[in-house]
Amino acid sequence: MVLCQGGEGDAAPAAGGQEPEVPPDQEDGPGAVQPCPTPGVEAAGAEERRACGRCSGMSWPFCCEAPGTKKKAGCPGLGLFYTILSAFLFSLASLFLKKIEDLHSVEVSAFRCVFQMAFVLPGLIYYKTGFLGPKGKRIFLFFRGFLGSIAMVLLYYAYQVMPLADATVITFTCPVFTSLLAWIFLKEKYSLWDLLFTLFAVTGVILIARPPFLFGSRVTGIEGSYSDHLKGTIAAIASTLSAASTFVILRKVGKSVHYFLSIWYYAVIGLIGCVIALFVLNEWRLPHCGRDRVFLILIGSLGLGGQIFLTKALQIEKAGPVSIMRTMDVVFAFILQALFLNILPTWWTVGGALCVVASSCGTALRKWRHSVKKAKQREI
């Protein structure tokens, strides 16, 4: 059976190759594939000859919608499972980063950028996006790459000098700061609830940092010296602000730039910046033992795997539940820190984690409800 050819554009995927798969329960909608009309055949038989995307245009006796044929139902909760798997892979990468010896965080970031480039380059060639992007968007892409690479370097430094769980918790203040920066630069709505969540996040960071002027000079439960802990806290906060700034830039750019191109800028600018910083700091050196080399490969591979599963989760699940489930990063960080680093979290850290997680979940829920409300209004 031959299908109607509506031109090359009808068969091509959406711009950027991001056309979502058609859900099993929506294949008879306006976007369903329809067969060519056959002369001399009564209209009553047209319903039986309809085609769907899974059957390559075959008529109903061979179609998945034939009477008595069961449709393939999507696996419920698969997107949330991908989110948990992504959180676990990111936490493992952070653990291996803690295990690396005698390597600066900038050098680890450089290796991570190499992995990113190796993954993204084939995608750029396949989708023919070019390497520079639209002229009007290049400045935004540059700052996205610059701020994103700074966020990565500072986060890796924080992982190295402070407890793994503490640094992970601080990074989860990113949604709160994103809302604040979007209100300042993009004029997005910022309500009293958003202000409350921001205060919760700041409270959580204070409980983790435990500055001496509030908690006294004898601060317990700190990995190493308090000065390193304070430096790590400042680096983690700066990393979070940089990451929040990249999200605001991506919102400004919108869907006019392919996401592969965004990652490409992030990797290339990050690699150039890391190489320059390593020569200035005189910190460039290869790992002296095979274990550290294996850890570097694992950090790049696990980080890339975490990004892939997180992207896959966002493709098949709503952003609100995914954002909430991503807080499993904190749970995995606490577990891995206790099992492999022999560092038990203090009650201050647990309290700070609860404040930050509550703030992050509250922000995600409000954004989710707002998007659902807007979708219903558009339907009306």
Side-chain angles (χ1 to χ4, degrees), residues 172 175-176 179 191 193-198 200-201 320 323-325 327 354-370:
F172 271 84
V176 180
S179 298
S191 65
W193 280 106
D194 294 317
L195 177 60
L196 179 63
F197 295 143
T198 303
F200 260 93
S323 298
I324 295 172
M325 196 57 66
T327 56
L354 291 176
C355 288
V356 171
V357 169
S359 172
S360 178
C361 291
T363 302
L365 280 173
R366 278 190 55 80
K367 296 296 182 184
W368 181 28
R369 288 183 59 186
H370 181 66

CSV table of all heavy atoms in Angstrom, one decimal, residues 172 175-176 179 191 193-198 200-201 320 323-325 327 354-370:
chain,number,residue,atom,x,y,z
A,172,PHE,N,21.4,22.2,45.0
A,172,PHE,CA,20.0,22.1,44.8
A,172,PHE,C,19.3,23.4,45.1
A,172,PHE,O,18.0,23.4,45.1
A,172,PHE,CB,19.4,20.9,45.6
A,172,PHE,CG,19.4,19.6,44.9
A,172,PHE,CD1,20.6,18.9,44.9
A,172,PHE,CD2,18.4,19.2,44.2
A,172,PHE,CE1,20.6,17.7,44.2
A,172,PHE,CE2,18.4,18.0,43.4
A,172,PHE,CZ,19.5,17.3,43.4
A,175,PRO,N,17.3,25.9,41.5
A,175,PRO,CA,16.0,26.3,41.0
A,175,PRO,C,15.5,27.6,41.6
A,175,PRO,O,14.9,28.4,41.0
A,175,PRO,CB,15.1,25.1,41.3
A,175,PRO,CG,16.0,23.9,41.4
A,175,PRO,CD,17.2,24.5,42.0
A,176,VAL,N,15.8,27.8,42.9
A,176,VAL,CA,15.4,29.0,43.6
A,176,VAL,C,16.1,30.2,43.1
A,176,VAL,O,15.5,31.2,42.8
A,176,VAL,CB,15.7,28.8,45.1
A,176,VAL,CG1,15.3,30.1,45.9
A,176,VAL,CG2,15.0,27.6,45.7
A,179,SER,N,14.8,31.2,39.6
A,179,SER,CA,13.5,32.0,39.6
A,179,SER,C,13.8,33.4,40.0
A,179,SER,O,13.2,34.3,39.4
A,179,SER,CB,12.6,31.4,40.7
A,179,SER,OG,12.2,30.1,40.4
A,191,SER,N,6.6,35.5,43.1
A,191,SER,CA,5.6,35.7,44.1
A,191,SER,C,6.2,35.6,45.5
A,191,SER,O,7.4,35.4,45.7
A,191,SER,CB,4.5,34.6,43.9
A,191,SER,OG,5.1,33.4,44.2
A,193,TRP,N,5.5,33.3,47.5
A,193,TRP,CA,5.9,31.9,47.7
A,193,TRP,C,7.4,31.7,47.2
A,193,TRP,O,8.2,31.0,47.9
A,193,TRP,CB,5.0,30.9,46.9
A,193,TRP,CG,3.7,30.6,47.6
A,193,TRP,CD1,2.5,31.1,47.3
A,193,TRP,CD2,3.5,29.8,48.8
A,193,TRP,NE1,1.5,30.7,48.2
A,193,TRP,CE2,2.1,29.8,49.1
A,193,TRP,CE3,4.4,29.0,49.5
A,193,TRP,CZ2,1.6,29.1,50.1
A,193,TRP,CZ3,3.8,28.3,50.6
A,193,TRP,CH2,2.5,28.3,50.9
A,194,ASP,N,7.7,32.3,46.1
A,194,ASP,CA,9.1,32.2,45.7
A,194,ASP,C,10.1,32.8,46.7
A,194,ASP,O,11.2,32.3,46.9
A,194,ASP,CB,9.2,32.9,44.3
A,194,ASP,CG,8.5,32.2,43.2
A,194,ASP,OD1,8.5,30.9,43.2
A,194,ASP,OD2,7.8,32.9,42.4
A,195,LEU,N,9.7,33.9,47.3
A,195,LEU,CA,10.5,34.6,48.3
A,195,LEU,C,10.7,33.6,49.5
A,195,LEU,O,11.8,33.5,50.0
A,195,LEU,CB,9.9,35.9,48.7
A,195,LEU,CG,10.6,36.7,49.8
A,195,LEU,CD1,12.1,37.0,49.4
A,195,LEU,CD2,9.9,37.9,50.2
A,196,LEU,N,9.6,33.0,49.9
A,196,LEU,CA,9.7,32.1,51.0
A,196,LEU,C,10.6,30.9,50.7
A,196,LEU,O,11.4,30.5,51.5
A,196,LEU,CB,8.3,31.5,51.3
A,196,LEU,CG,8.2,30.5,52.5
A,196,LEU,CD1,8.6,31.1,53.8
A,196,LEU,CD2,6.8,30.0,52.6
A,197,PHE,N,10.5,30.3,49.5
A,197,PHE,CA,11.4,29.3,49.1
A,197,PHE,C,12.9,29.7,49.1
A,197,PHE,O,13.8,29.0,49.4
A,197,PHE,CB,11.0,28.7,47.8
A,197,PHE,CG,9.7,28.0,47.8
A,197,PHE,CD1,8.8,28.1,46.7
A,197,PHE,CD2,9.2,27.3,48.9
A,197,PHE,CE1,7.6,27.5,46.7
A,197,PHE,CE2,8.0,26.7,48.9
A,197,PHE,CZ,7.1,26.8,47.8
A,198,THR,N,13.1,31.0,48.6
A,198,THR,CA,14.5,31.5,48.6
A,198,THR,C,15.0,31.6,50.1
A,198,THR,O,16.2,31.2,50.3
A,198,THR,CB,14.5,32.9,48.0
A,198,THR,OG1,14.0,32.8,46.7
A,198,THR,CG2,15.9,33.4,47.9
A,200,PHE,N,14.1,29.7,52.6
A,200,PHE,CA,14.4,28.4,53.0
A,200,PHE,C,15.7,27.9,52.5
A,200,PHE,O,16.5,27.2,53.2
A,200,PHE,CB,13.3,27.4,52.5
A,200,PHE,CG,12.2,27.1,53.5
A,200,PHE,CD1,11.1,27.9,53.6
A,200,PHE,CD2,12.4,26.0,54.4
A,200,PHE,CE1,10.1,27.6,54.6
A,200,PHE,CE2,11.4,25.7,55.3
A,200,PHE,CZ,10.3,26.5,55.4
A,201,ALA,N,16.0,28.2,51.2
A,201,ALA,CA,17.3,27.8,50.6
A,201,ALA,C,18.5,28.4,51.3
A,201,ALA,O,19.5,27.8,51.6
A,201,ALA,CB,17.3,28.1,49.1
A,320,GLY,N,8.0,18.8,36.4
A,320,GLY,CA,7.7,18.9,37.8
A,320,GLY,C,8.1,17.7,38.6
A,320,GLY,O,9.0,17.7,39.5
A,323,SER,N,11.9,17.2,38.4
A,323,SER,CA,12.7,18.1,39.3
A,323,SER,C,12.6,17.6,40.8
A,323,SER,O,13.6,17.6,41.5
A,323,SER,CB,12.1,19.5,39.2
A,323,SER,OG,12.3,20.0,37.9
A,324,ILE,N,11.5,17.1,41.2
A,324,ILE,CA,11.3,16.6,42.6
A,324,ILE,C,12.1,15.3,42.8
A,324,ILE,O,12.8,15.1,43.8
A,324,ILE,CB,9.8,16.3,42.9
A,324,ILE,CG1,9.1,17.7,42.9
A,324,ILE,CG2,9.7,15.7,44.2
A,324,ILE,CD1,7.6,17.5,43.0
A,325,MET,N,12.1,14.4,41.8
A,325,MET,CA,12.8,13.1,41.9
A,325,MET,C,14.3,13.3,41.8
A,325,MET,O,15.1,12.5,42.4
A,325,MET,CB,12.3,12.2,40.8
A,325,MET,CG,12.7,10.7,41.0
A,325,MET,SD,12.1,10.0,42.6
A,325,MET,CE,10.3,10.1,42.3
A,327,THR,N,15.9,15.2,43.6
A,327,THR,CA,16.5,15.3,44.9
A,327,THR,C,17.0,14.0,45.5
A,327,THR,O,17.6,14.0,46.5
A,327,THR,CB,15.4,15.8,45.9
A,327,THR,OG1,14.2,15.0,45.8
A,327,THR,CG2,14.9,17.2,45.5
A,354,LEU,N,17.2,19.3,54.5
A,354,LEU,CA,15.7,19.3,54.5
A,354,LEU,C,15.2,20.7,54.0
A,354,LEU,O,14.2,20.7,53.3
A,354,LEU,CB,15.2,19.0,55.9
A,354,LEU,CG,15.4,17.5,56.4
A,354,LEU,CD1,14.9,17.3,57.8
A,354,LEU,CD2,14.7,16.5,55.4
A,355,CYS,N,15.8,21.7,54.5
A,355,CYS,CA,15.4,23.1,54.1
A,355,CYS,C,15.6,23.3,52.6
A,355,CYS,O,14.7,23.8,51.9
A,355,CYS,CB,16.2,24.1,54.8
A,355,CYS,SG,15.8,24.3,56.6
A,356,VAL,N,16.8,22.8,52.1
A,356,VAL,CA,17.0,23.0,50.6
A,356,VAL,C,16.1,22.2,49.8
A,356,VAL,O,15.6,22.6,48.7
A,356,VAL,CB,18.5,22.7,50.3
A,356,VAL,CG1,18.8,22.7,48.8
A,356,VAL,CG2,19.4,23.8,51.0
A,357,VAL,N,15.9,20.9,50.2
A,357,VAL,CA,15.1,20.0,49.4
A,357,VAL,C,13.6,20.5,49.4
A,357,VAL,O,12.9,20.5,48.4
A,357,VAL,CB,15.2,18.6,50.0
A,357,VAL,CG1,14.1,17.7,49.3
A,357,VAL,CG2,16.5,18.0,49.7
A,358,ALA,N,13.2,21.0,50.6
A,358,ALA,CA,11.8,21.5,50.6
A,358,ALA,C,11.7,22.7,49.7
A,358,ALA,O,10.7,22.9,49.0
A,358,ALA,CB,11.5,21.9,52.1
A,359,SER,N,12.7,23.6,49.7
A,359,SER,CA,12.7,24.8,48.9
A,359,SER,C,12.7,24.4,47.4
A,359,SER,O,11.9,24.9,46.6
A,359,SER,CB,13.9,25.6,49.2
A,359,SER,OG,14.0,26.7,48.3
A,360,SER,N,13.5,23.4,47.0
A,360,SER,CA,13.6,23.0,45.6
A,360,SER,C,12.3,22.3,45.2
A,360,SER,O,11.8,22.6,44.1
A,360,SER,CB,14.8,22.0,45.4
A,360,SER,OG,14.9,21.5,44.1
A,361,CYS,N,11.8,21.4,46.0
A,361,CYS,CA,10.5,20.8,45.6
A,361,CYS,C,9.4,21.8,45.5
A,361,CYS,O,8.5,21.7,44.6
A,361,CYS,CB,10.2,19.7,46.7
A,361,CYS,SG,11.3,18.3,46.6
A,362,GLY,N,9.3,22.7,46.5
A,362,GLY,CA,8.3,23.7,46.4
A,362,GLY,C,8.3,24.6,45.2
A,362,GLY,O,7.3,24.8,44.5
A,363,THR,N,9.5,25.0,44.8
A,363,THR,CA,9.7,25.7,43.5
A,363,THR,C,9.3,24.9,42.3
A,363,THR,O,8.6,25.4,41.4
A,363,THR,CB,11.1,26.2,43.4
A,363,THR,OG1,11.5,27.0,44.5
A,363,THR,CG2,11.3,27.0,42.1
A,364,ALA,N,9.7,23.7,42.3
A,364,ALA,CA,9.3,22.8,41.1
A,364,ALA,C,7.8,22.6,41.1
A,364,ALA,O,7.2,22.6,40.0
A,364,ALA,CB,10.1,21.5,41.3
A,365,LEU,N,7.2,22.4,42.2
A,365,LEU,CA,5.7,22.1,42.2
A,365,LEU,C,5.0,23.4,41.7
A,365,LEU,O,4.0,23.3,41.0
A,365,LEU,CB,5.3,21.7,43.6
A,365,LEU,CG,5.5,20.3,44.0
A,365,LEU,CD1,5.1,20.1,45.5
A,365,LEU,CD2,4.6,19.4,43.1
A,366,ARG,N,5.4,24.6,42.2
A,366,ARG,CA,4.7,25.8,41.7
A,366,ARG,C,4.9,26.0,40.2
A,366,ARG,O,3.9,26.4,39.6
A,366,ARG,CB,5.3,27.0,42.5
A,366,ARG,CG,4.6,27.1,43.9
A,366,ARG,CD,5.0,28.5,44.5
A,366,ARG,NE,4.7,29.6,43.6
A,366,ARG,CZ,3.5,30.2,43.5
A,366,ARG,NH1,2.5,29.6,44.2
A,366,ARG,NH2,3.3,31.2,42.7
A,367,LYS,N,6.1,25.8,39.7
A,367,LYS,CA,6.3,25.9,38.3
A,367,LYS,C,5.5,24.9,37.5
A,367,LYS,O,4.9,25.2,36.4
A,367,LYS,CB,7.8,25.7,37.9
A,367,LYS,CG,8.7,26.8,38.5
A,367,LYS,CD,8.4,28.2,38.0
A,367,LYS,CE,9.3,29.2,38.6
A,367,LYS,NZ,9.0,30.6,38.1
A,368,TRP,N,5.4,23.7,38.0
A,368,TRP,CA,4.6,22.7,37.3
A,368,TRP,C,3.1,23.0,37.3
A,368,TRP,O,2.5,22.9,36.3
A,368,TRP,CB,4.8,21.3,38.1
A,368,TRP,CG,4.1,20.2,37.5
A,368,TRP,CD1,3.8,20.0,36.2
A,368,TRP,CD2,3.7,19.0,38.2
A,368,TRP,NE1,3.1,18.8,36.0
A,368,TRP,CE2,3.1,18.1,37.2
A,368,TRP,CE3,3.8,18.6,39.5
A,368,TRP,CZ2,2.6,16.9,37.6
A,368,TRP,CZ3,3.3,17.3,39.8
A,368,TRP,CH2,2.7,16.5,38.9
A,369,ARG,N,2.6,23.4,38.5
A,369,ARG,CA,1.2,23.8,38.5
A,369,ARG,C,0.9,25.0,37.6
A,369,ARG,O,-0.2,25.1,36.9
A,369,ARG,CB,0.8,24.1,40.0
A,369,ARG,CG,0.7,22.9,40.9
A,369,ARG,CD,0.2,23.4,42.3
A,369,ARG,NE,-1.1,24.0,42.2
A,369,ARG,CZ,-1.6,24.6,43.3
A,369,ARG,NH1,-1.0,24.6,44.4
A,369,ARG,NH2,-2.8,25.2,43.1
A,370,HIS,N,1.8,25.9,37.5
A,370,HIS,CA,1.6,27.1,36.7
A,370,HIS,C,1.6,26.7,35.2
A,370,HIS,O,0.8,27.2,34.4
A,370,HIS,CB,2.8,28.1,36.9
A,370,HIS,CG,2.6,29.4,36.1
A,370,HIS,ND1,1.6,30.3,36.3
A,370,HIS,CD2,3.4,29.9,35.1
A,370,HIS,CE1,1.8,31.3,35.4
A,370,HIS,NE2,2.9,31.0,34.7
